[in-house]
Amino acid sequence: MAMSEDQPLVAVGSGSYETNMFFVQTLDDQLDVKASFASKFPIYSLAFRSNLLMAGTDRSTSVLYKVDRARLLGYASGDDGGDPDGPMVKCVGTYKNKAAKSIDVAAPGSQLPTRRILCVEFAPAFGTGSSGWPPASVSAGTELFLACLGGVVNVWDATRNQQALRMEKLSPQPLSCAAWSPHAAATLIAAASVDGTVSVVDLRRHGRAVAWRAPAAVDSARASVGGYAGMVATSDIAWSPFAPYWLASAGENGEAAIWDLRYTASAIALRHPTNHGALRSVAWSATHADMLATGTSDRSWWLHSLRADDAAEDSSTVRASVIADKRSADDIGAVVAMKAKGSTFFTLSSCGDLYAHRVTPAAMAQTTVHRLTSSAERQIEAAVYARDLPSAAEAVIQLVQTMKEDGAGDGAGGDGDEAGIAKHAESIRKLCDLFKAKAKIAHASWAFPKLASAIDDQMSAGDEAERARVALAADLGRLAYGLPPDFPLEATASRQPVVWQALELLNMANLRIRLGRMVEAADSPEGDGPPAWKTIADRERQIMQYVKAEPELFDPKLLRAVVKLVLPHDCVAGLTLGLGICQAYLAIQRQHEHRSAKSPVTCTMLDGLVHVLLFPTVFDTDTSGGNNGGENDEMASRPLVTPTVPLVRERIRECLEVCPELVFEMVRLEISIQETVVKGGEQKKVAEEIVAIVHAHAKSIKVLMDNTGTVATRALIQIHPMYPATTTLSASAVRLYLNSLLSTRNYDEHLVNTQWWRAPPAEARPAVIGMDAGWPSSFPLAKMLNRQAAVSIVPRLQRQIDVVLSTIRKEPLGLEPRLYRDTLIKVAKVSLLTQCDQPLEFAVDVATKDKASGATLTTRQH
């Protein structure tokens, strides 16, 4: 019996000379015989690969057929563009296998000679390499197959039937079975003979290719510690699809042995207590690393579950329990696990009865490994073990929602206490492990023991068997729980949206917990891994995506702490992350406003985050240390408000409530300025670029302001796009902008922007921040800016005008008209746009001659 890997089709062969080839469609509820044919020779083995079917006959010959599977299954078009009017099964090649010597006559005491090809199998996919195998003459994509005759394995290139590529003699007795390792690229073959010897051949080796061999006979002492009793014919072998070093063999004594190829002793021998016949076939489950099916000569099919017995005193104890069993009409000659549906097995009896055995979730629930405690969690574990991922996903979504609601009344939202989900960190971690497909065990991660000294001279056979059991128990403890290695989880999630939703929800909850732990451990010494801020910066996109999807999981207090952790190390990355979080909140708020529904989060919740992003703000106490005025300084005697953190955040909330887009545009400005500063360059060019960035930002702010609320509402946030210094709450951005104006000698623009920090009329003097009617002179930043204007800007602007006036007096026509125009524009701009209670005055000394005395007089004009 052989099964198609990509179509619901099973091929069955018979030793009859008449109708001896059958094709059965494997539907969910029934088996449907689609066609039957008569081959020229009896069939003793089959292998199916794509549209190729290989049959082993009784004439030392392997026969290759091309099968039109589409026509067999009733599809419209044929396989590979075949002739729709041609035969559905066509012989395309015959291969004459050879033995090491004549097998017509057997030695006394040996098995009866036979020319039957008892085993054929196609090789797994391979590529070209420098290992020497396959030969350079064999191109990648070519089908290779093996055929067993006598004690020899013949390896063939399906495109060449003149001579086998390789012949390996493994036993003086006939080989009963052989199988390619699915984990190696057509290099490893396991074979067993009728004398009980199990061998593994590495075709990359030249000369003696046997890489591993189990002894054909052991003493009773070794059998008593669980070793495989030799001198018994081995009827079948099977590689584990998950552990590349696990091999199962079926013995005529009714035992199935599990071999760990890293050792030479079997790890465990399985025998059902009611089984009194020989094992004819063995097969691993395609979806469970711990399940093994066997077929016996007493008409029984058994499905075993292997477990590392955690409750036993000996941690290396491995026990086997029967999940399901079934009796057939005759002895079972073949067992095959269906890859597309891992809970389905097919058995073929000697009288030609084909059975399909489907294992139900209820049967699997009895042997589920449980590592979680609550009933809801155990229900999820049982569903995952049964590979019923949609049911498990629905239970996960419901459980996580319950966890989110747990502690919701404890201030979990906003700037309150820890979110409820953090209380269940351990359960979330275990659920993530449960739904995580384990990494595939690399074939190169293990090695065979040396044949000459597989068991050390000082180590008994029992010690070797014990080591094998310990290794098997450890691997079972890891592989039997949750999903097996290389499980197609993404493909399953793409077909089942509820599975994808559950996986994303678990990832979000796990990320939230990890972020909380990073923040808590921020002051702890860093380990060997990357620092916490680097990990957060690398997950920037994922954090923003998850915040948008499940904002209630990520409370604003946590988000502020996360961004605060990144900012000192990478300012731009921290600002970008913060802006992404702000945009996620804005998108959620606008979406719910559009539907006239209550939003779970609002932008005003981000006042603490914005405070961190724009710190120090224009409202914060100045700590730069560069504006220490004397007692006679006019600003020193001016009453300044010393804002507390709650007062500052209240002011930020006002801006977020009026127009959050304005505030987020300020964060973009901060990012652009920081990128320019980090990039560096010539001082003047950097200053010019910063001025250009701020001007572009002011234009964007004007567009947003024009579409925001009423005039009265806009007045609350005191943003005036005509004066770029007022378009951001960041004090550092304001300083950099005004300092850049100083570097580029735009003194007039500097004074125009500084006027918003000048003293207003007495009747307009503010009492608290937020009630200043457009006069931020009470801000801590005002002292520094006014002193800078008085000490640096006004004298420099005056000198510019003095130079122009001096030139006019000496040579009126020697000054370019452009300079006249620029000077007049500066004076007009300063006079018209600085809306103070008194206009700015500039003193100009003018020299005149007294007509009476002729003396030169100097007068000061204003």
Side-chain angles (χ1 to χ4, degrees):
M1 176 173 59
M3 177 171 293
S4 173
E5 296 179 349
D6 54 356
Q7 294 290 342
L9 195 63
V10 173
V12 177
S14 167
S16 171
Y17 277 90
E18 297 178 355
T19 303
N20 54 13
M21 184 182 294
F22 307 87
F23 292 92
V24 182
Q25 185 178 17
T26 57
L27 302 177
D28 289 339
D29 299 322
Q30 63 181 357
L31 301 175
D32 185 11
V33 179
K34 305 301 293 186
S36 59
F37 303 92
S39 173
K40 291 182 179 181
F41 310 106
I43 298 175
Y44 292 96
S45 55
L46 284 174
F48 219 152
R49 169 66 56 81
S50 185
N51 64 336
L52 298 178
L53 180 68
M54 183 65 67
T57 72
D58 64 347
R59 306 294 178 87
S60 305
T61 303
S62 306
V63 183
L64 181 63
Y65 298 92
K66 189 172 183 180
V67 181
D68 193 336
R69 298 171 301 168
R71 291 174 59 197
L72 281 175
L73 296 173
Y75 300 157
S77 60
D79 269 352
D80 301 329
D83 183 5
D85 298 326
M88 287 188 287
V89 179
K90 179 181 178 181
C91 178
V92 294
T94 58
Y95 308 84
K96 190 68 173 179
N97 297 284
K98 296 182 180 180
K101 60 181 180 179
S102 175
I103 59 173
D104 291 334
V105 180
S110 300
Q111 297 286 329
L112 293 176
T114 178
R115 292 182 177 275
R116 295 175 180 176
I117 305 299
L118 298 178
C119 180
V120 291
E121 183 172 306
F122 285 104
F126 62 91
T128 58
S130 59
S131 63
W133 180 265
S137 59
V138 179
S139 59
T142 300
E143 294 293 352
L144 302 183
F145 71 93
L146 64 81
C148 297
L149 178 62
V152 178
V153 173
N154 292 259
V155 180
W156 291 88
D157 179 349
T159 62
R160 304 169 185 174
N161 60 356
Q162 293 83 10
Q163 185 177 0
L165 292 174
R166 189 82 171 259
M167 293 174 58
E168 289 291 339
K169 182 182 178 181
L170 301 181
S171 173
Q173 299 298 325
L175 296 177
S176 55
C177 53
W180 292 94
S181 169
H183 308 280
T187 57
L188 293 184
I189 298 174
S193 66
V194 294
D195 65 356
T197 303
V198 180
S199 306
V200 177
V201 176
D202 188 345
L203 297 177
R204 294 168 296 183
R205 297 187 178 188
H206 299 286
R208 184 174 176 81
V210 175
W212 181 90
R213 174 168 286 170
V218 294
D219 55 28
S220 58
R222 180 168 181 174
S224 66
V225 296
Y228 177 63
M231 299 303 294
V232 178
T234 300
S235 54
D236 195 17
I237 55 175
W239 292 87
S240 167
F242 303 108
Y245 41 77
W246 283 358
L247 188 68
S249 63
E252 292 286 345
N253 63 346
E255 290 185 352
I258 310 297
W259 303 90
D260 189 325
L261 300 183
R262 297 170 296 181
Y263 309 94
T264 55
S266 66
I268 185 175
L270 308 178
R271 182 187 181 96
H272 196 274
T274 64
N275 176 31
H276 303 289
L279 292 189
R280 297 299 189 199
S281 184
V282 64
W284 292 92
S285 167
T287 55
H288 293 75
D290 59 310
M291 286 189 186
L292 186 71
T294 58
T296 70
S297 62
D298 64 352
R299 304 179 299 164
S300 298
W301 169 79
W302 307 99
L303 181 60
H304 306 267
S305 175
L306 307 176
R307 286 288 180 273
D309 195 351
D310 298 332
E313 295 181 1
D314 183 3
S315 60
S316 66
T317 301
V318 177
R319 58 182 175 84
S321 58
V322 176
I323 298 177
D325 62 276
K326 190 71 176 179
R327 302 277 289 184
S328 66
D330 205 341
D331 62 327
I332 296 175
V335 177
V336 176
M338 189 174 183
K339 293 185 177 181
K341 297 179 180 178
S343 60
T344 301
F345 294 82
F346 293 93
T347 60
L348 181 65
S349 70
S350 297
C351 64
D353 291 335
L354 180 64
Y355 293 87
H357 309 276
R358 183 180 304 164
V359 186
T360 63
M364 293 187 185
Q366 301 175 5
T367 57
T368 303
V369 178
H370 291 293
R371 296 179 181 174
L372 298 173
T373 55
S374 70
S375 59
E377 292 168 337
R378 286 175 170 260
Q379 177 186 354
I380 295 171
E381 287 177 319
V384 170
Y385 186 72
R387 304 301 182 253
D388 185 8
L389 295 190
S391 298
E394 292 176 356
V396 164
I397 294 173
Q398 183 176 359
L399 178 61
V400 174
Q401 185 62 36
T402 302
M403 292 178 177
K404 286 166 54 180
E405 295 172 356
D406 182 19
D410 300 334
D415 253 11
D417 296 333
E418 186 175 56
I421 197 71
K423 301 177 181 179
H424 305 276
E426 188 63 21
S427 294
I428 292 294
R429 184 189 64 80
K430 289 183 178 180
L431 286 173
C432 289
D433 291 341
L434 181 67
F435 274 84
K436 183 179 180 181
K438 301 175 182 65
K440 184 177 181 180
I441 302 176
H443 176 64
S445 64
W446 63 281
F448 294 107
K450 293 181 179 180
L451 287 177
S453 57
I455 301 179
D456 196 87
D457 293 338
Q458 299 179 354
M459 180 183 296
S460 67
D463 292 335
E464 180 76 354
E466 178 65 19
R467 291 177 59 192
R469 281 198 302 273
V470 170
L472 178 64
D475 287 337
L476 281 173
R478 180 173 57 89
L479 299 179
Y481 185 74
L483 300 176
D486 210 26
F487 184 82
L489 184 58
E490 291 187 5
T492 303
S494 64
R495 295 192 303 267
Q496 302 285 347
V498 67
V499 176
W500 185 267
Q501 183 182 355
L503 292 176
E504 285 292 281
L505 190 57
L506 283 177
N507 288 336
M508 294 176 198
N510 190 44
L511 179 62
R512 189 257 174 263
I513 293 169
R514 289 187 61 192
L515 291 176
R517 289 175 177 172
M518 289 180 188
V519 170
E520 292 174 359
D523 298 330
S524 303
E526 297 179 356
D528 297 333
W533 72 267
K534 180 63 175 175
T535 302
I536 294 172
D538 292 341
R539 289 177 171 261
E540 171 194 329
R541 181 172 298 181
Q542 185 184 37
I543 293 174
M544 292 187 292
Q545 176 185 350
Y546 285 177
V547 168
K548 187 173 182 180
E550 284 289 335
E552 294 171 289
L553 276 177
F554 303 87
D555 53 284
K557 179 181 178 181
L558 171 69
L559 296 175
R560 185 185 75 237
V562 166
V563 172
K564 193 174 180 180
L565 195 62
V566 178
L567 280 171
H569 305 279
D570 191 334
C571 184
V572 174
L575 290 169
T576 304
L577 174 60
L579 178 61
I581 295 171
C582 294
Q583 290 174 322
Y585 266 61
L586 178 62
I588 297 170
Q589 179 176 322
R590 293 290 185 251
Q591 184 180 10
H592 284 77
E593 288 176 354
H594 181 71
R595 298 192 309 225
S596 299
K598 182 180 179 181
S599 176
V601 294
T602 61
C603 293
T604 55
M605 296 178 178
L606 298 176
D607 55 339
L609 175 60
V610 172
H611 191 189
V612 169
L613 294 174
L614 300 181
F615 185 84
T617 67
V618 295
F619 312 120
D620 288 294
T621 303
D622 181 49
T623 58
S624 63
N627 48 327
N628 298 320
E631 295 182 358
N632 296 328
D633 187 358
E634 181 185 359
M635 290 300 299
S637 59
R638 184 168 300 162
L640 296 176
V641 175
T642 304
T644 60
V645 171
L647 190 60
V648 171
R649 294 188 181 175
E650 180 183 350
R651 182 69 183 88
I652 294 174
R653 274 197 299 273
E654 290 179 3
C655 298
L656 287 170
E657 186 173 358
V658 173
C659 183
E661 290 91 342
L662 289 175
V663 181
F664 302 158
E665 195 67 31
M666 298 174 189
V667 180
R668 289 192 183 91
L669 171 66
E670 196 77 8
I671 294 174
S672 299
I673 290 178
Q674 290 297 329
E675 288 176 340
T676 302
V677 172
V678 170
K679 182 176 64 176
E682 187 182 344
Q683 182 178 359
K684 184 176 180 181
K685 290 184 178 180
V686 172
E688 291 174 349
E689 189 171 349
I690 291 176
V691 171
I693 290 172
V694 175
H695 286 173
H697 165 74
K699 292 179 181 179
S700 301
I701 292 294
K702 184 178 186 308
V703 174
L704 292 173
M705 289 287 291
D706 292 341
N707 298 304
T708 300
T710 62
V711 176
T713 304
R714 292 196 293 268
L716 289 175
I717 57 178
Q718 305 151 10
I719 293 177
H720 308 274
M722 184 178 295
Y723 308 96
T726 68
T727 59
T728 180
L729 302 179
S730 170
S732 61
V734 171
R735 288 195 190 100
L736 284 171
Y737 165 60
L738 295 178
N739 289 338
S740 297
L741 293 176
L742 183 61
S743 299
T744 56
R745 299 184 180 182
N746 291 318
Y747 307 126
D748 54 328
E749 185 175 346
H750 191 292
L751 286 175
V752 167
N753 280 274
T754 309
Q755 70 97 11
W756 289 100
W757 279 270
R758 290 173 56 78
E763 62 274 9
R765 300 230 173 178
V768 293
I769 295 177
M771 300 294 292
D772 51 18
W775 291 98
S777 60
S778 60
F779 298 170
L781 183 63
K783 184 175 182 180
M784 186 274 290
L785 294 179
N786 279 277
R787 180 171 179 80
Q788 185 183 52
V791 173
S792 300
I793 306 304
V794 172
R796 294 187 185 190
L797 179 59
Q798 183 173 344
R799 282 198 298 270
Q800 276 188 344
I801 298 175
D802 287 345
V803 170
V804 173
L805 292 178
S806 175
T807 303
I808 293 174
R809 289 195 301 267
K810 294 178 181 178
E811 190 177 352
L813 298 180
L815 199 65
E816 295 181 9
R818 178 178 58 84
L819 295 178
Y820 279 114
R821 181 197 62 193
D822 292 347
T823 304
L824 289 173
I825 289 176
K826 287 183 178 182
V827 174
K829 186 176 180 181
V830 172
S831 299
L832 294 175
L833 295 181
T834 53
Q835 303 171 8
C836 300
D837 53 340
Q838 293 180 356
L840 292 176
E841 295 183 346
F842 301 96
V844 179
D845 294 330
V846 180
T848 58
K849 285 187 178 182
D850 184 53
K851 294 181 180 179
S853 63
T856 301
L857 301 176
T858 301
T859 59
R860 172 158 293 188
Q861 299 179 1
H862 297 275

